[in-house]
Amino acid sequence: MLMTVQNRIKLGVSAAALIAVSACGLVQPAALSPEAQAQTTEERRETIWDIFNNQDQDVNVSVNRYIWNASLEVLNFMPVESIDPFTGVIVKGYGTPPGGNRAYRATVYVKDPALAARSLIVTLQGRDGKPVSASTQRAIEDAILSRARQLRIEDGRL
């Protein structure tokens, strides 16, 4: 049986592909030391949760955790719109407090790691878009700071 030119081309291409594919398994990677293997594994395992286990001194979450948690507890009647622990900003959507008849929206800024009034800024806004009275805003700030102190005292007992 005579081979046509077309069959010879097919055979040549098939042989070249077979040689190329089989050659892939011949190259062995250089052996890594156990330390290098551990480092390679650590570099690959990056998740969002690694931020909180970060040993890098350049990346800090510098908000007071008691004020942060107290803000979320005191304003739990409002839905969360966004949270950023790195900048210390909590944005809450419109919600009506228990026993109240007016809906509010809040933005909380925890700007310092200290458990102090200077670390907290709360802004409240009504549905009409106007800010609420200073006394209402101050009452919310006081409630958050009081709850933060309670959380700190509870944490000290454990």
Side-chain angles (χ1 to χ4, degrees):
M1 182 162 107
L2 296 173
M3 291 186 99
T4 64
V5 175
Q6 203 173 32
N7 286 341
R8 287 183 186 182
I9 293 173
K10 287 181 185 178
L11 181 64
V13 170
S14 298
L18 182 62
I19 291 170
V21 169
S22 64
C24 292
L26 297 177
V27 178
Q28 296 292 328
L32 295 176
S33 66
E35 296 85 17
Q37 287 176 350
Q39 183 179 9
T40 304
T41 304
E42 287 177 9
E43 289 174 358
R44 283 188 300 214
R45 291 187 340 179
E46 290 184 14
T47 64
I48 187 74
W49 305 114
D50 290 339
I51 294 170
F52 299 106
N53 296 329
N54 192 2
Q55 301 299 324
D56 188 5
Q57 298 299 323
D58 295 336
V59 178
N60 287 340
V61 177
S62 61
V63 298
N64 185 287
R65 70 179 181 159
Y66 301 113
I67 295 176
W68 184 266
N69 290 331
S71 298
L72 292 173
E73 284 183 26
V74 169
L75 299 173
N76 67 355
F77 61 92
M78 297 176 177
V80 175
E81 286 187 359
S82 70
I83 290 182
D84 186 2
F86 296 103
T87 59
V89 176
I90 301 171
V91 178
K92 297 281 219 157
Y94 288 103
T96 304
N101 58 1
R102 185 174 177 196
Y104 298 102
R105 178 178 188 207
T107 302
V108 178
Y109 178 39
V110 183
K111 64 179 186 170
D112 195 274
L115 180 54
R118 71 173 186 273
S119 301
L120 177 66
I121 297 175
V122 177
T123 58
L124 294 171
Q125 180 182 31
R127 284 241 188 234
D128 56 1
K130 295 180 183 175
V132 300
S133 68
S135 62
T136 303
Q137 190 166 321
R138 198 168 23 259
I140 296 293
E141 287 175 350
D142 290 343
I144 291 171
L145 291 170
S146 295
R147 181 62 185 145
R149 289 183 187 100
Q150 290 171 356
L151 290 173
R152 182 173 176 225
I153 290 168
E154 290 172 8
D155 196 29
R157 290 182 191 160
L158 298 175

